[in-house]
Amino acid sequence: MMTVLEIDGVSKTYGSGDDAFTAIDEITFTTRPGELLCIVGPSGCGKTTLLRVLAGLAPPTSGELRFKGRGVDGPQPGISIVFQDYGRALLPW
């Protein structure tokens, strides 16, 4: 079956040297047509960084990502980010 999104060992580090901060580290997963993917976690765990990398808004430091078989090297048609309004949060904690 065709894959829609392939993430293989994707990491994102901000800064360098002693000031480097790894926001996401070697994430790997695949989605197929019809699947629903949810990214859930506490504040500061890297959810927004992962979404920015997946949407092509921020390049990964390492690893590969493909959308419908093509490498992602910038913003992609067909990928969007919708941010949750904290004032009306589904999970208010």
Side-chain angles (χ1 to χ4, degrees):
M1 179 182 278
M2 180 184 135
T3 59
V4 176
L5 190 58
E6 299 172 71
I7 310 305
D8 186 16
V10 168
S11 297
K12 178 66 177 176
T13 301
Y14 294 100
S16 61
D18 291 340
D19 294 328
F21 174 76
T22 301
I24 55 175
D25 193 20
E26 296 188 22
I27 294 177
T28 299
F29 63 87
T30 302
T31 63
R32 292 182 170 68
E35 290 183 328
L36 176 66
L37 172 68
C38 295
I39 300 170
V40 179
S43 179
C45 74
K47 299 179 303 289
T48 299
T49 297
L50 177 60
L51 289 174
R52 290 178 51 78
V53 169
L54 295 179
L57 300 175
T61 304
S62 62
E64 296 181 28
L65 49 126
R66 291 173 292 284
F67 179 63
K68 296 184 178 179
R70 304 178 107 180
V72 175
D73 58 2
Q76 302 293 301
I79 296 180
S80 298
I81 297 176
V82 177
F83 291 98
Q84 182 174 320
D85 178 358
Y86 293 122
R88 297 180 202 150
L90 177 62
L91 305 172
W93 59 82

Coordinates of all heavy atoms in Angstrom, one line a residue:
M1 N 0.8 -1.2 0.0 CA 0.0 0.0 0.0 C 0.9 1.3 0.0 O 1.9 1.3 0.7 CB -0.9 0.0 1.2 CG -1.8 1.2 1.3 SD -2.8 1.2 2.8 CE -4.1 0.2 2.3
M2 N 0.5 2.3 -0.7 CA 1.2 3.5 -0.8 C 1.3 4.2 0.6 O 0.4 4.2 1.4 CB 0.5 4.4 -1.8 CG 1.2 5.8 -2.0 SD 0.2 6.8 -3.1 CE 0.2 8.3 -2.2
T3 N 2.4 4.9 0.9 CA 2.5 5.7 2.1 C 2.3 7.1 1.7 O 2.6 7.6 0.6 CB 3.9 5.5 2.7 OG1 4.9 6.0 1.8 CG2 4.1 4.1 3.1
V4 N 1.7 7.9 2.7 CA 1.4 9.3 2.5 C 2.6 10.1 3.1 O 3.2 10.9 2.4 CB 0.1 9.7 3.2 CG1 0.0 11.2 3.1 CG2 -1.0 9.0 2.5
L5 N 3.0 9.7 4.3 CA 4.1 10.4 5.0 C 5.1 9.4 5.5 O 4.7 8.5 6.3 CB 3.5 11.3 6.1 CG 4.3 12.3 6.8 CD1 4.9 13.3 5.9 CD2 3.5 13.0 7.9
E6 N 6.3 9.6 5.2 CA 7.4 8.7 5.7 C 8.4 9.5 6.5 O 9.0 10.5 5.9 CB 8.1 8.0 4.6 CG 7.2 7.1 3.8 CD 7.9 6.6 2.5 OE1 8.8 5.7 2.7 OE2 7.6 7.1 1.4
I7 N 8.6 9.2 7.7 CA 9.5 9.9 8.6 C 10.6 8.9 9.0 O 10.2 7.9 9.6 CB 8.8 10.5 9.8 CG1 7.6 11.3 9.4 CG2 9.8 11.4 10.6 CD1 7.8 12.4 8.4
D8 N 11.8 9.2 8.8 CA 12.9 8.2 9.1 C 14.0 8.9 9.8 O 14.8 9.6 9.2 CB 13.4 7.6 7.8 CG 14.4 6.4 8.0 OD1 14.4 5.9 9.2 OD2 15.1 6.0 7.1
G9 N 14.1 8.7 11.1 CA 15.2 9.2 11.9 C 15.3 10.7 12.0 O 16.4 11.2 12.0
V10 N 14.2 11.4 12.0 CA 14.2 12.8 11.9 C 14.5 13.4 13.3 O 13.9 13.1 14.3 CB 12.9 13.4 11.4 CG1 12.8 14.9 11.6 CG2 12.7 13.1 9.9
S11 N 15.5 14.3 13.3 CA 15.9 15.1 14.5 C 16.0 16.6 14.1 O 16.2 16.9 13.0 CB 17.3 14.6 15.0 OG 17.3 13.3 15.3
K12 N 15.8 17.4 15.1 CA 15.9 18.9 14.9 C 16.6 19.4 16.2 O 16.1 19.3 17.3 CB 14.5 19.5 14.8 CG 14.6 21.0 14.6 CD 15.3 21.5 13.4 CE 15.3 23.0 13.2 NZ 16.0 23.4 12.0
T13 N 17.7 20.0 15.9 CA 18.5 20.7 17.0 C 18.6 22.2 16.7 O 18.9 22.5 15.5 CB 19.9 20.0 17.1 OG1 19.8 18.6 17.3 CG2 20.8 20.7 18.1
Y14 N 18.4 23.0 17.7 CA 18.6 24.4 17.6 C 19.9 24.8 18.2 O 20.2 24.3 19.3 CB 17.4 25.1 18.3 CG 16.1 24.9 17.6 CD1 15.2 24.0 18.1 CD2 15.7 25.6 16.5 CE1 13.9 23.8 17.5 CE2 14.5 25.4 15.9 CZ 13.6 24.5 16.4 OH 12.4 24.3 15.8
G15 N 20.6 25.7 17.6 CA 21.9 26.2 18.2 C 23.0 25.2 17.9 O 22.8 24.2 17.1
S16 N 24.2 25.5 18.4 CA 25.3 24.6 18.2 C 26.2 24.6 19.5 O 26.1 25.5 20.3 CB 26.1 25.0 17.0 OG 26.6 26.3 17.1
G17 N 27.1 23.7 19.5 CA 28.1 23.6 20.6 C 27.4 23.4 22.0 O 26.4 22.7 22.1
D18 N 27.9 24.1 23.0 CA 27.3 24.0 24.3 C 25.9 24.6 24.4 O 25.2 24.3 25.4 CB 28.2 24.8 25.3 CG 29.6 24.1 25.5 OD1 29.7 22.9 25.2 OD2 30.5 24.8 26.0
D19 N 25.5 25.4 23.5 CA 24.2 26.0 23.5 C 23.1 25.2 22.7 O 22.0 25.6 22.6 CB 24.2 27.4 22.9 CG 25.0 28.4 23.8 OD1 25.0 28.2 25.0 OD2 25.6 29.3 23.2
A20 N 23.5 24.0 22.1 CA 22.6 23.2 21.3 C 21.5 22.6 22.2 O 21.7 22.2 23.3 CB 23.4 22.1 20.6
F21 N 20.3 22.6 21.6 CA 19.2 22.0 22.2 C 18.5 21.1 21.2 O 18.1 21.6 20.1 CB 18.2 23.1 22.7 CG 16.9 22.5 23.2 CD1 16.9 21.9 24.5 CD2 15.7 22.5 22.5 CE1 15.7 21.4 25.0 CE2 14.6 22.0 22.9 CZ 14.5 21.4 24.2
T22 N 18.3 19.8 21.5 CA 17.7 18.9 20.6 C 16.2 18.9 21.0 O 15.8 18.4 22.0 CB 18.3 17.5 20.7 OG1 19.7 17.6 20.4 CG2 17.6 16.5 19.8
A23 N 15.4 19.4 20.1 CA 13.9 19.5 20.3 C 13.2 18.2 20.0 O 12.3 17.8 20.7 CB 13.3 20.6 19.5
I24 N 13.6 17.5 18.9 CA 13.1 16.2 18.6 C 14.3 15.3 18.2 O 15.3 15.8 17.6 CB 12.1 16.2 17.4 CG1 12.6 16.9 16.2 CG2 10.8 16.8 17.9 CD1 11.6 16.8 15.0
D25 N 14.3 14.0 18.5 CA 15.4 13.2 18.3 C 15.0 11.8 17.7 O 14.4 11.0 18.3 CB 16.1 12.9 19.7 CG 17.5 12.3 19.6 OD1 18.1 12.4 18.5 OD2 17.9 11.8 20.6
E26 N 15.5 11.6 16.5 CA 15.3 10.4 15.7 C 13.9 9.8 15.7 O 13.7 8.7 16.1 CB 16.3 9.3 16.2 CG 17.8 9.8 16.0 CD 18.8 8.7 16.3 OE1 18.4 7.5 16.3 OE2 19.9 9.0 16.5
I27 N 13.0 10.6 15.3 CA 11.6 10.1 15.2 C 11.4 9.4 13.9 O 11.8 9.9 12.8 CB 10.6 11.3 15.3 CG1 10.7 12.0 16.7 CG2 9.2 10.9 15.0 CD1 9.9 13.2 16.9
T28 N 10.7 8.2 13.9 CA 10.4 7.4 12.8 C 9.0 6.9 12.8 O 8.6 6.4 13.8 CB 11.4 6.2 12.7 OG1 12.7 6.7 12.6 CG2 11.1 5.3 11.5
F29 N 8.3 7.2 11.7 CA 6.9 6.6 11.6 C 6.5 6.7 10.1 O 7.1 7.5 9.3 CB 5.9 7.2 12.5 CG 5.6 8.7 12.3 CD1 4.7 9.1 11.4 CD2 6.3 9.7 13.0 CE1 4.5 10.5 11.2 CE2 6.1 11.0 12.9 CZ 5.2 11.4 11.9
T30 N 5.4 6.0 9.8 CA 4.8 6.1 8.4 C 3.3 6.2 8.6 O 2.7 5.6 9.4 CB 5.2 4.8 7.7 OG1 6.6 4.7 7.6 CG2 4.7 4.8 6.3
T31 N 2.7 7.0 7.7 CA 1.2 7.0 7.6 C 0.8 6.6 6.2 O 1.5 6.8 5.2 CB 0.7 8.4 7.9 OG1 1.1 9.3 6.9 CG2 1.1 8.9 9.3
R32 N -0.4 5.9 6.2 CA -0.9 5.5 4.9 C -2.3 6.2 4.6 O -2.8 6.7 5.5 CB -1.1 3.9 5.0 CG 0.3 3.2 5.0 CD 0.1 1.7 5.0 NE 1.4 1.1 4.8 CZ 2.4 1.1 5.7 NH1 2.3 1.7 6.8 NH2 3.5 0.4 5.4
P33 N -2.8 6.1 3.4 CA -4.1 6.7 3.1 C -5.2 6.3 4.1 O -5.2 5.1 4.4 CB -4.4 6.3 1.7 CG -3.0 6.0 1.1 CD -2.2 5.4 2.2
G34 N -5.9 7.2 4.6 CA -7.0 6.9 5.5 C -6.7 6.9 6.9 O -7.6 6.8 7.8
E35 N -5.4 6.9 7.3 CA -5.0 6.9 8.7 C -5.1 8.3 9.3 O -4.9 9.3 8.5 CB -3.5 6.4 8.8 CG -3.4 4.9 8.5 CD -2.0 4.4 8.8 OE1 -1.0 5.1 8.6 OE2 -1.9 3.2 9.2
L36 N -5.3 8.4 10.5 CA -5.3 9.6 11.3 C -4.2 9.6 12.3 O -4.0 8.7 13.0 CB -6.7 9.7 12.0 CG -6.8 11.0 12.9 CD1 -6.9 12.2 12.1 CD2 -8.1 10.8 13.7
L37 N -3.4 10.7 12.3 CA -2.3 10.8 13.1 C -2.5 11.9 14.1 O -2.8 13.0 13.7 CB -1.0 11.1 12.3 CG 0.3 11.4 13.1 CD1 0.7 10.2 13.9 CD2 1.4 11.9 12.2
C38 N -2.3 11.7 15.4 CA -2.4 12.7 16.4 C -1.1 12.8 17.2 O -0.5 11.8 17.5 CB -3.5 12.3 17.5 SG -5.2 12.3 16.8
I39 N -0.7 14.0 17.4 CA 0.5 14.2 18.2 C 0.1 14.9 19.5 O -0.4 16.0 19.5 CB 1.5 15.1 17.4 CG1 1.8 14.5 16.0 CG2 2.8 15.4 18.2 CD1 2.5 15.3 15.0
V40 N 0.4 14.2 20.6 CA -0.1 14.6 21.9 C 1.1 14.5 22.8 O 1.9 13.6 22.8 CB -1.2 13.7 22.4 CG1 -1.7 14.1 23.8 CG2 -2.4 13.7 21.4
G41 N 1.2 15.5 23.7 CA 2.3 15.5 24.7 C 2.3 16.8 25.5 O 1.6 17.8 25.1
P42 N 3.1 16.9 26.5 CA 3.1 18.1 27.4 C 3.8 19.2 26.7 O 4.5 19.0 25.7 CB 3.9 17.6 28.6 CG 4.7 16.5 28.1 CD 3.9 15.8 27.0
S43 N 3.6 20.4 27.2 CA 4.2 21.6 26.7 C 5.7 21.4 26.7 O 6.3 21.0 27.7 CB 3.8 22.8 27.6 OG 4.4 23.9 27.1
G44 N 6.3 21.8 25.5 CA 7.8 21.7 25.4 C 8.4 20.4 25.0 O 9.6 20.3 25.0
C45 N 7.5 19.5 24.6 CA 8.1 18.1 24.2 C 8.5 18.0 22.8 O 9.0 17.0 22.4 CB 7.1 17.0 24.6 SG 5.7 16.9 23.5
G46 N 8.2 19.1 22.0 CA 8.6 19.1 20.6 C 7.5 18.9 19.5 O 7.8 18.8 18.4
K47 N 6.2 19.0 20.0 CA 5.1 18.8 19.0 C 5.1 19.9 17.9 O 5.0 19.5 16.7 CB 3.8 18.9 19.8 CG 3.5 17.9 20.8 CD 2.2 18.1 21.5 CE 2.0 19.4 22.2 NZ 2.8 19.7 23.4
T48 N 5.3 21.1 18.3 CA 5.3 22.2 17.3 C 6.5 22.1 16.4 O 6.4 22.3 15.1 CB 5.2 23.6 17.9 OG1 3.9 23.6 18.7 CG2 5.2 24.7 16.9
T49 N 7.6 21.8 16.9 CA 8.9 21.6 16.1 C 8.7 20.5 15.1 O 9.0 20.6 13.9 CB 10.1 21.3 17.0 OG1 10.3 22.4 17.9 CG2 11.3 21.0 16.2
L50 N 8.1 19.4 15.5 CA 7.8 18.3 14.6 C 6.9 18.7 13.5 O 7.1 18.4 12.3 CB 7.3 17.1 15.4 CG 6.9 15.9 14.5 CD1 8.1 15.3 13.7 CD2 6.2 14.8 15.3
L51 N 5.8 19.4 13.8 CA 4.9 19.9 12.8 C 5.5 20.8 11.8 O 5.3 20.8 10.6 CB 3.7 20.5 13.5 CG 2.7 19.6 14.2 CD1 1.6 20.4 15.0 CD2 2.1 18.6 13.3
R52 N 6.4 21.7 12.3 CA 7.1 22.7 11.4 C 8.0 21.9 10.5 O 8.1 22.3 9.3 CB 7.9 23.7 12.3 CG 7.0 24.7 13.0 CD 7.7 25.7 13.9 NE 8.8 26.3 13.1 CZ 8.6 27.3 12.3 NH1 7.4 27.8 12.1 NH2 9.7 27.9 11.7
V53 N 8.7 20.9 11.0 CA 9.5 20.1 10.1 C 8.7 19.3 9.1 O 9.0 19.3 7.9 CB 10.4 19.1 10.9 CG1 11.1 18.1 10.1 CG2 11.5 19.9 11.8
L54 N 7.6 18.7 9.5 CA 6.8 17.9 8.6 C 6.2 18.8 7.5 O 6.0 18.4 6.4 CB 5.6 17.2 9.4 CG 6.0 16.2 10.4 CD1 4.8 15.6 11.1 CD2 6.8 15.1 9.7
A55 N 5.8 20.0 7.9 CA 5.2 21.0 6.9 C 6.3 21.6 6.0 O 5.9 22.3 5.0 CB 4.4 22.0 7.6
G56 N 7.5 21.4 6.3 CA 8.6 22.0 5.4 C 8.9 23.4 5.8 O 9.6 24.1 5.1
L57 N 8.5 23.8 7.0 CA 8.7 25.2 7.4 C 10.0 25.3 8.2 O 10.6 26.4 8.3 CB 7.6 25.7 8.4 CG 6.2 25.7 7.7 CD1 5.1 26.0 8.8 CD2 6.1 26.6 6.6
A58 N 10.6 24.2 8.6 CA 11.9 24.2 9.3 C 12.6 22.9 8.8 O 12.0 21.8 8.8 CB 11.8 24.1 10.8
P59 N 13.9 23.0 8.3 CA 14.6 21.8 7.9 C 15.0 20.9 9.0 O 15.3 21.4 10.1 CB 15.8 22.4 7.2 CG 16.0 23.7 7.8 CD 14.7 24.2 8.2
P60 N 14.9 19.6 8.9 CA 15.4 18.7 9.9 C 17.0 18.8 10.0 O 17.6 19.1 9.0 CB 15.0 17.3 9.5 CG 14.9 17.4 8.0 CD 14.5 18.8 7.7
T61 N 17.5 18.6 11.2 CA 18.9 18.6 11.4 C 19.5 17.3 10.8 O 20.6 17.3 10.2 CB 19.3 18.7 12.9 OG1 18.7 19.9 13.4 CG2 20.8 18.8 13.1
S62 N 18.7 16.2 10.9 CA 19.1 14.9 10.4 C 17.9 14.1 10.1 O 16.8 14.4 10.6 CB 20.1 14.2 11.3 OG 19.4 13.9 12.5
G63 N 18.0 13.1 9.3 CA 16.9 12.2 9.0 C 16.3 12.6 7.6 O 16.7 13.6 7.0
E64 N 15.3 11.8 7.2 CA 14.6 12.0 6.0 C 13.1 12.0 6.2 O 12.6 11.3 7.0 CB 15.0 10.9 5.0 CG 16.4 10.9 4.6 CD 16.7 9.8 3.6 OE1 15.8 9.4 2.8 OE2 17.8 9.3 3.6
L65 N 12.4 12.9 5.4 CA 11.0 12.8 5.3 C 10.5 12.9 3.9 O 11.1 13.7 3.1 CB 10.3 13.9 6.2 CG 10.8 15.3 6.1 CD1 9.6 16.2 5.9 CD2 11.4 15.7 7.5
R66 N 9.5 12.2 3.6 CA 8.9 12.1 2.3 C 7.4 12.2 2.4 O 6.7 11.7 3.3 CB 9.2 10.8 1.6 CG 10.7 10.7 1.2 CD 11.1 9.4 0.7 NE 11.1 8.3 1.7 CZ 11.9 8.1 2.7 NH1 13.0 9.0 2.8 NH2 11.8 7.2 3.5
F67 N 6.8 13.0 1.5 CA 5.3 13.2 1.4 C 4.9 12.7 0.0 O 5.4 13.2 -1.0 CB 5.0 14.7 1.6 CG 3.5 14.9 1.5 CD1 2.6 14.4 2.4 CD2 3.0 15.8 0.5 CE1 1.2 14.6 2.3 CE2 1.6 16.0 0.3 CZ 0.8 15.4 1.2
K68 N 4.1 11.6 0.0 CA 3.7 11.0 -1.2 C 4.9 10.6 -2.1 O 4.9 10.8 -3.3 CB 2.7 11.8 -2.0 CG 1.4 12.0 -1.2 CD 0.4 12.8 -2.0 CE -0.9 13.0 -1.2 NZ -1.9 13.7 -2.0
G69 N 6.0 10.1 -1.4 CA 7.1 9.6 -2.1 C 8.2 10.6 -2.5 O 9.2 10.2 -3.0
R70 N 7.9 11.8 -2.3 CA 8.9 12.9 -2.6 C 9.5 13.5 -1.4 O 8.8 13.8 -0.4 CB 8.2 14.0 -3.5 CG 7.5 13.4 -4.7 CD 6.8 14.5 -5.4 NE 7.6 14.8 -6.6 CZ 7.3 15.7 -7.5 NH1 6.3 16.5 -7.3 NH2 8.1 15.9 -8.6
G71 N 10.8 13.8 -1.5 CA 11.4 14.5 -0.3 C 10.8 15.8 0.0 O 10.4 16.5 -0.9
V72 N 10.8 16.1 1.2 CA 10.3 17.4 1.7 C 11.5 18.4 1.9 O 12.3 18.1 2.8 CB 9.4 17.3 3.0 CG1 9.0 18.6 3.5 CG2 8.2 16.4 2.7
D73 N 11.5 19.4 1.1 CA 12.6 20.4 1.3 C 12.1 21.8 1.4 O 12.9 22.8 1.2 CB 13.6 20.3 0.1 CG 13.0 20.5 -1.2 OD1 11.8 20.8 -1.3 OD2 13.7 20.4 -2.2
G74 N 10.9 22.0 1.7 CA 10.2 23.3 1.8 C 8.8 23.1 2.0 O 8.3 22.0 2.0
P75 N 8.0 24.2 2.1 CA 6.5 24.1 2.3 C 5.9 23.2 1.1 O 6.3 23.4 0.0 CB 6.0 25.5 2.2 CG 7.2 26.3 2.7 CD 8.4 25.6 2.2
Q76 N 5.0 22.3 1.5 CA 4.4 21.4 0.5 C 2.9 21.7 0.3 O 2.2 21.9 1.3 CB 4.6 20.0 1.0 CG 6.0 19.5 1.3 CD 6.8 19.4 0.0 OE1 6.4 18.7 -0.9 NE2 7.8 20.2 -0.1
P77 N 2.5 21.7 -1.0 CA 1.0 21.7 -1.2 C 0.4 20.5 -0.6 O 0.9 19.4 -0.6 CB 0.9 21.7 -2.7 CG 2.2 21.6 -3.3 CD 3.2 21.6 -2.2
G78 N -0.7 20.6 0.1 CA -1.4 19.5 0.6 C -1.1 19.2 2.1 O -1.6 18.3 2.7
I79 N -0.2 20.0 2.7 CA 0.1 19.9 4.1 C -0.2 21.2 4.8 O 0.2 22.3 4.3 CB 1.6 19.5 4.3 CG1 2.0 18.2 3.7 CG2 2.0 19.5 5.8 CD1 3.4 17.8 3.9
S80 N -0.9 21.1 5.9 CA -1.3 22.3 6.6 C -1.2 22.1 8.1 O -1.1 21.0 8.6 CB -2.8 22.7 6.3 OG -3.0 22.9 5.0
I81 N -1.0 23.2 8.8 CA -1.0 23.1 10.3 C -2.1 24.0 10.8 O -2.3 25.1 10.4 CB 0.3 23.7 10.8 CG1 1.5 22.9 10.4 CG2 0.3 23.8 12.4 CD1 2.9 23.5 10.8
V82 N -2.9 23.4 11.7 CA -4.0 24.2 12.4 C -3.6 24.1 13.9 O -3.6 23.1 14.5 CB -5.3 23.5 12.1 CG1 -6.4 24.3 12.9 CG2 -5.6 23.5 10.7
F83 N -3.4 25.3 14.5 CA -3.1 25.4 15.9 C -4.3 25.5 16.7 O -5.3 26.2 16.4 CB -2.1 26.6 16.2 CG -0.8 26.3 15.6 CD1 -0.4 26.9 14.4 CD2 0.2 25.6 16.2 CE1 0.8 26.7 13.8 CE2 1.4 25.4 15.7 CZ 1.7 25.9 14.5
Q84 N -4.3 24.8 17.9 CA -5.4 24.8 18.8 C -5.5 26.1 19.5 O -4.5 26.6 20.0 CB -5.2 23.6 19.7 CG -6.3 23.5 20.7 CD -6.1 22.2 21.5 OE1 -5.7 21.2 21.0 NE2 -6.4 22.2 22.8
D85 N -6.7 26.6 19.7 CA -6.9 27.9 20.5 C -6.9 27.5 22.0 O -7.8 26.8 22.5 CB -8.2 28.5 20.1 CG -8.5 29.7 20.9 OD1 -7.7 30.1 21.8 OD2 -9.5 30.4 20.7
Y86 N -5.9 27.9 22.8 CA -5.8 27.4 24.1 C -7.0 27.9 25.0 O -7.3 27.2 26.0 CB -4.5 28.0 24.7 CG -3.3 27.4 24.2 CD1 -2.3 28.2 23.6 CD2 -3.1 26.0 24.2 CE1 -1.2 27.6 23.0 CE2 -1.9 25.4 23.6 CZ -1.0 26.2 23.0 OH 0.1 25.7 22.4
G87 N -7.6 29.0 24.6 CA -8.8 29.5 25.3 C -10.0 28.5 25.3 O -10.8 28.5 26.1
R88 N -10.0 27.7 24.3 CA -11.1 26.7 24.1 C -10.6 25.3 23.9 O -11.1 24.5 23.1 CB -11.9 27.1 22.8 CG -12.6 28.4 23.0 CD -13.4 28.8 21.7 NE -13.5 30.2 21.7 CZ -13.6 31.0 20.6 NH1 -13.6 30.4 19.5 NH2 -13.7 32.3 20.7
A89 N -9.5 25.0 24.7 CA -8.8 23.8 24.5 C -9.7 22.5 24.8 O -10.5 22.5 25.7 CB -7.6 23.7 25.4
L90 N -9.5 21.5 24.0 CA -10.2 20.3 24.2 C -9.7 19.6 25.4 O -10.4 19.0 26.2 CB -10.0 19.4 23.0 CG -10.6 18.0 23.0 CD1 -12.1 18.0 23.2 CD2 -10.1 17.1 21.8
L91 N -8.4 19.7 25.7 CA -7.7 19.1 26.8 C -7.1 20.3 27.6 O -5.9 20.6 27.4 CB -6.7 18.1 26.4 CG -7.2 17.0 25.5 CD1 -6.1 16.1 25.0 CD2 -8.2 16.1 26.3
P92 N -7.8 21.0 28.5 CA -7.4 22.2 29.1 C -6.2 22.2 30.0 O -5.8 23.2 30.5 CB -8.7 22.8 29.8 CG -9.4 21.6 30.1 CD -9.2 20.6 28.9
W93 N -5.7 21.0 30.4 CA -4.6 21.0 31.3 C -3.4 21.5 30.7 O -2.3 21.7 31.3 CB -4.4 19.6 32.0 CG -4.1 18.5 30.9 CD1 -2.9 18.3 30.4 CD2 -5.0 17.6 30.4 NE1 -3.0 17.3 29.5 CE2 -4.3 16.8 29.5 CE3 -6.4 17.4 30.6 CZ2 -4.9 15.8 28.8 CZ3 -6.9 16.4 29.9 CH2 -6.2 15.6 29.0

